[in-house]
Amino acid sequence: MMTPEYILTLSCPDQRGIVHSVSGFLATHGCNIIDSAQFGDAHSKLFFMRVHFSADDKSIDDSILRADFATLAASWGMQWQLHDAHHKPRVVLMVSKIGHCLNDLLFRYKSGLLPVEIKAIVSNHTDFYQLAASYNIPFHHLPLAAGASAEAKQAQEQKVLEVINANQAELVVLARYMQILSNHMCEALSGRAINIHHSFLPSFKGAKPYYQAHDRGVKLIGATAHFVTGDLDEGPIIEQDVERVDHAMDPEKLTAIGRDVECVVLARAVNYFVEHRILLNGHKTVIFR
């Protein structure tokens, strides 16, 4: 039988003795630390910790661990979560008409590189229903016409939430889903929805951003993955990367390079989430790599 393994994440006011207290708790409960990381933020005065451990003492089960740690956590004022390290989170992917991120995530999933269970794909277009079928993943076409009324948008989002809730999704990934989510939708998905977008220096908004970048002679292009919030593209940043480009590259080449970066950055962000490596620190994140 597989030995139970857990990932403990926590944050609390920074003070002396936290690591000693947590490691001592695990030792007295028959647990063995596999790896551990911690960070004390001098600005927020908060302490963050992630511990991956095995529960070797078979007489101490999950319920005992949680109940006993809750008592310890209360004494330190901790916000904490205890995750089954063997559990594969249930994921719903959302996409519109640009499929590079969707295709990349599906390939990583099928190859065993991304330890998740992709339960459904939601789209406001039909472009990728055959791709979904090739992976045997349910595809939900929930259209939303351009210039749709607030009532129509609300009705469409409600159907999206029904798919998410029916699949008990622990993570929703906007893999180039080109619709602005309402505040209600963002609140419903708070802390469990990740978006990807380009990152230009300087930034370009609107249609064909890579063409705008080419016109301005941009030398760096990149991508940002972040949590979805009601502030458009301003949620806590999870991962970023850049690539250097030059004058000899046409807009199509910039677009191709940019899409490659988007794929890699989004996959990293999803993997960090799945492995419980992301801890919120106000409007920022702590990422234990």
Side-chain angles (χ1 to χ4, degrees):
M1 182 179 296
M2 186 179 296
T3 300
E5 293 184 12
Y6 296 90
I7 296 174
L8 170 67
T9 59
L10 64 89
S11 62
C12 63
D14 197 2
Q15 50 200 302
R16 184 181 297 111
I18 301 170
V19 174
H20 175 77
S21 180
V22 172
S23 59
F25 171 90
L26 294 175
T28 58
H29 283 71
C31 300
N32 181 52
I33 294 176
I34 298 171
D35 63 76
S36 178
Q38 54 273 334
F39 170 67
D41 187 343
H43 296 285
S44 66
K45 308 300 182 185
L46 293 175
F47 178 82
F48 302 86
M49 190 173 186
R50 177 188 183 275
V51 186
H52 178 196
F53 64 91
S54 60
D56 298 337
D57 188 340
K58 300 300 186 285
S59 67
I60 300 178
D61 63 15
D62 182 275
S63 60
I64 294 174
L65 271 178
R66 293 178 186 277
D68 289 358
F69 192 80
T71 302
L72 175 70
S75 69
W76 291 95
M78 291 177 180
Q79 293 184 344
W80 63 282
Q81 291 183 309
L82 185 62
H83 308 273
D84 178 353
H86 297 306
H87 173 67
K88 294 182 178 182
R90 297 176 295 275
V91 177
V92 168
L93 304 179
M94 298 178 65
V95 66
S96 290
K97 293 177 70 69
I98 301 174
H100 56 285
C101 287
L102 173 67
N103 191 55
D104 181 75
L105 290 173
L106 290 175
F107 174 78
R108 292 173 189 267
Y109 159 67
K110 192 69 172 180
S111 303
L113 301 174
L114 199 58
V116 298
E117 293 294 339
I118 299 179
K119 307 300 290 186
I121 297 171
V122 173
S123 182
N124 54 328
H125 298 279
T126 59
D127 298 57
F128 301 112
Y129 78 93
Q130 289 180 323
L131 178 63
S134 72
Y135 284 91
N136 198 29
I137 297 173
F139 183 87
H140 300 267
H141 176 220
L142 302 176
L144 187 63
S149 66
E151 292 76 14
K153 183 175 180 64
Q154 182 179 3
Q156 190 259 7
E157 287 192 341
Q158 182 57 41
K159 292 178 182 177
V160 174
L161 284 174
E162 288 172 3
V163 173
I164 292 169
N165 293 334
N167 287 284
Q168 299 179 303
E170 297 156 86
L171 174 64
V172 176
V173 181
L174 277 62
R176 295 304 302 269
Y177 181 70
M178 307 306 289
Q179 291 289 331
I180 297 174
L181 303 186
S182 68
N183 286 334
H184 170 73
M185 186 77 160
C186 291
E187 290 172 5
L189 300 178
S190 179
R192 59 184 179 120
I194 294 175
N195 190 26
I196 184 73
H197 66 84
H198 66 76
S199 298
F200 286 115
L201 304 174
S203 178
F204 299 105
K205 297 181 179 180
K208 294 189 173 182
Y210 291 99
Y211 283 74
Q212 297 179 53
H214 180 264
D215 288 342
R216 287 289 302 276
V218 160
K219 308 305 181 189
L220 284 175
I221 60 175
T224 295
H226 60 91
F227 281 116
V228 174
T229 67
D231 297 319
L232 183 62
D233 290 340
E234 294 184 13
I237 294 170
I238 301 170
E239 178 65 335
Q240 294 178 298
D241 207 345
V242 296
E243 283 287 341
R244 182 164 292 279
V245 295
D246 61 40
H247 62 277
M249 298 176 182
D250 61 20
E252 289 75 17
K253 181 65 173 178
L254 294 189
T255 301
I257 294 172
R259 288 180 176 178
D260 284 346
V261 180
E262 290 171 13
C263 289
V264 171
V265 169
L266 183 58
R268 286 180 191 157
V270 171
N271 204 61
Y272 293 156
F273 184 95
V274 168
E275 294 182 354
H276 311 291
R277 297 183 179 277
I278 309 169
L279 282 77
L280 286 174
N281 183 13
H283 297 296
K284 302 186 296 184
T285 59
V286 173
I287 308 292
F288 289 122
R289 300 181 187 275

